[in-house]
Amino acid sequence: MKIPFSPPHIDDKIIDEVVETLRSGWITTGPRTKLFEQRLAEYCGCKRVVCLNSATAGLEIALRWFGVGTGDEVILPAYTYTATASAVIHCGARPVMVDVNDDFLLSAENVRKVVTPRTKVIIPVDFAGLPCDYDSLYEIVNDPGIRELFVPASEVQEQLGRILILSDAAHSLGATYNGMKTGAIADMTVFSFHAVKNLTTAEGGAVCINLPGDFDCDEVYRQLCVGSLHGQSKDALAKTQAGAWRYDVTFPGYKCNMTDIAAAMGLVELERYDSLILPRRKEIFDRYGRAFEKDQRFLIPEYETENKRSSYHVFALRIKDADEITRDRAIQMMAEKGIATNVHFIPLPMLSAYRNLGYNIEDFPNAYRLFSGEISLPVYFTLGDEQVDAVIRELKNSVIAP
Ligand SMILES: *Cc1c(COP(=O)(O)O)cnc(C)c1O
């Protein structure tokens, strides 16, 4: 028996679309990318979407657009992937890490404690696919006292007049919060289409623009597109118009646009995302949930609450009261049976890069406690019920009673 953790779902439909794109004569950013952007915006119910080559690029493009730089602070959870924090560091700003709640999500209470006049952005992370508590976060950034602390240092910061909420929704495409889909909840939202994510384009990402009232989201869309293509005034498609060769570069921009080959994959995946992909992922979550919830040795993750529904990205099971050694032993025993499991994530303060910057895991006790017992189980579209049952059986055999 061999059960991988999260293989990409590549079928003939995707292969045919990619081949058609290759034969179409247009392989880089073009009609398919623009269509994928429109479809994503319709899907999420947000104003505009820019597709890029990764979520990491999306985070950085969004932070740069807001004018985040040296001396600024960006609040984010200690329990996330490195990309959330490295994008902040690339901009010259400082990640201010806070501890998480038992649902692995950013604690709004802890966020409030670390807001300073240097705070420019909060990056909540919809860990495992479950949206964060956005109402509480908006309460914080709209709090008159906290608005007063905010020191605008760019035109758009002046216009917003408060801390920006930039959601890291790398896991949560299709999840809902108060009936709204991710992408339409925060000011800006970043999705990832990396190979292991729910919807993949091999590598890819998107920024949803959902800025309030007086922002011209079409103009922001244009600015982000230009920012992702060298700061050049015309993209390759616009330059193919006869005689339209002349261009300008308005600032030294990035190069992180999405190709039409990637967008072709995304279009196929998005079309069947709600009808096929999410329902199957939910079935797998429910099957794991039923198997582990009555077993005293385990704690199942929250994935549906009164006002939230997950995108069922990571089944973040916890072995009750387990230390790292017990958890690692279970992973090893599963591996010996041919079953791949994973750990999401090693909290950032435990990684050398962040330890060397002075972050200390002892300041994030909840993150450490959650991490120690966490074991992520295989979830993917083609995973059958018998395989799910095999994972359940082998894991139950690999964990000793507490
Ligand atoms: C995967 C992931 C990212 C990075 O996505 P890329 O598209 O690979 O840049 C960012 N944040 C989280 C939480 C992720 O899991």
Side-chain angles (χ1 to χ4, degrees):
M1 180 174 49
K2 263 250 166 313
I3 301 180
F5 181 69
S6 173
H9 174 220
I10 305 297
D11 62 358
D12 285 346
K13 217 165 166 202
I14 289 198
I15 292 167
D16 292 347
E17 274 301 314
V18 167
V19 169
E20 200 170 305
T21 309
L22 292 170
R23 293 191 197 283
S24 76
W26 199 270
I27 54 175
T28 185
T29 312
R32 283 182 172 80
T33 302
K34 297 298 144 187
L35 184 61
F36 187 37
E37 291 178 342
Q38 278 172 26
R39 292 273 156 84
L40 279 166
E42 288 159 16
Y43 177 79
C44 303
C46 69
K47 292 171 187 160
R48 290 305 293 257
V49 173
V50 183
C51 281
L52 300 171
N53 65 7
S54 73
T56 308
L59 288 168
E60 183 159 350
I61 287 266
L63 290 167
R64 294 269 183 194
W65 170 82
F66 197 57
V68 172
T70 312
D72 291 336
E73 294 176 352
V74 175
I75 300 172
L76 47 93
Y79 208 108
T80 183
Y81 185 57
T82 180
T84 320
S86 62
V88 173
I89 292 171
H90 296 166
C91 293
R94 193 169 76 85
V96 174
M97 296 184 194
V98 298
D99 209 354
V100 292
N101 289 325
D102 275 359
D103 56 8
F104 293 90
L105 304 179
L106 190 64
S107 155
E109 204 181 307
N110 289 343
V111 168
R112 196 180 272 275
K113 286 182 205 152
V114 297
V115 172
T116 76
R118 289 181 295 278
T119 308
K120 288 285 157 50
V121 180
I122 299 171
I123 311 184
V125 178
D126 295 343
F127 177 82
L130 192 68
C132 291
D133 198 351
Y134 287 95
D135 283 346
S136 304
L137 294 172
Y138 271 98
E139 233 170 73
I140 294 172
V141 299
N142 284 319
D143 181 313
I146 287 175
R147 284 183 83 110
E148 214 159 289
L149 276 184
F150 186 72
V151 186
S154 72
E155 220 169 281
V156 288
Q157 288 179 18
E158 187 90 48
Q159 195 176 346
L160 189 65
R162 60 159 168 82
I163 298 166
L164 178 84
I165 299 188
L166 168 61
S167 164
D168 180 339
H171 295 183
S172 65
L173 177 73
T176 63
Y177 177 81
N178 291 339
M180 270 186 299
K181 280 209 171 86
T182 54
I185 305 163
D187 298 320
M188 295 174 109
T189 300
V190 172
F191 294 129
S192 171
F193 309 128
H194 175 267
V196 301
K197 301 302 196 310
N198 275 16
L199 184 156
T200 183
T201 61
E203 294 284 357
V207 183
C208 301
I209 306 162
N210 209 45
L211 293 155
D214 55 343
F215 275 94
D216 178 351
C217 290
D218 293 343
E219 174 56 19
V220 176
Y221 168 80
R222 201 194 56 77
Q223 289 166 356
L224 297 193
C225 284
V226 171
S228 73
L229 253 172
H230 304 294
Q232 184 170 303
S233 60
K234 265 183 202 157
D235 64 18
L237 193 63
K239 283 178 71 192
T240 57
Q241 308 305 311
W245 62 273
R246 196 176 283 279
Y247 61 88
D248 189 20
V249 170
T250 50
F251 63 99
Y254 289 86
K255 183 60 170 62
C256 54
N257 52 308
M258 176 177 277
T259 71
D260 266 23
I261 303 169
M265 297 176 69
L267 281 163
V268 174
E269 281 288 271
L270 188 60
E271 200 174 280
R272 59 195 182 191
Y273 193 63
D274 270 5
S275 56
L276 285 176
I277 309 295
L278 286 185
R280 179 58 194 152
R281 297 189 79 97
K282 175 179 159 53
E283 280 174 6
I284 295 168
F285 266 56
D286 287 341
R287 205 170 179 90
Y288 282 141
R290 282 192 302 272
F292 290 111
E293 84 187 321
K294 293 205 182 69
D295 190 322
Q296 291 301 306
R297 299 169 293 172
F298 300 95
L299 290 163
I300 64 165
E302 222 171 76
Y303 59 90
E304 274 160 8
T305 73
E306 208 178 300
N307 67 336
K308 300 180 188 182
R309 200 193 61 211
S310 174
S311 63
Y312 316 103
H313 180 54
V314 173
F315 194 87
L317 187 68
R318 286 161 57 204
I319 304 170
K320 208 182 270 178
D321 302 324
D323 55 13
E324 289 184 65
I325 296 164
T326 309
R327 187 267 319 276
D328 292 354
R329 196 190 307 124
I331 290 178
Q332 185 55 35
M333 285 172 76
M334 298 286 280
E336 282 160 16
K337 300 284 181 185
I339 299 171
T341 56
N342 221 323
V343 175
H344 290 82
F345 293 106
I346 302 174
L348 299 184
M350 295 177 71
L351 303 170
S352 318
Y354 298 97
R355 248 198 343 256
N356 294 341
L357 288 171
Y359 299 93
N360 185 344
I361 190 63
E362 285 174 18
D363 297 329
F364 310 93
N366 225 22
Y368 183 70
R369 191 175 53 79
L370 293 170
F371 155 74
S372 303
E374 202 273 349
I375 177 167
S376 308
L377 306 183
V379 180
Y380 48 93
F381 181 70
T382 52
L383 185 71
D385 285 349
E386 321 76 66
Q387 292 170 302
V388 173
D389 291 343
V391 173
I392 294 165
R393 191 174 56 244
E394 293 305 339
L395 185 56
K396 290 194 173 196
N397 287 338
S398 303
V399 174
I400 318 128

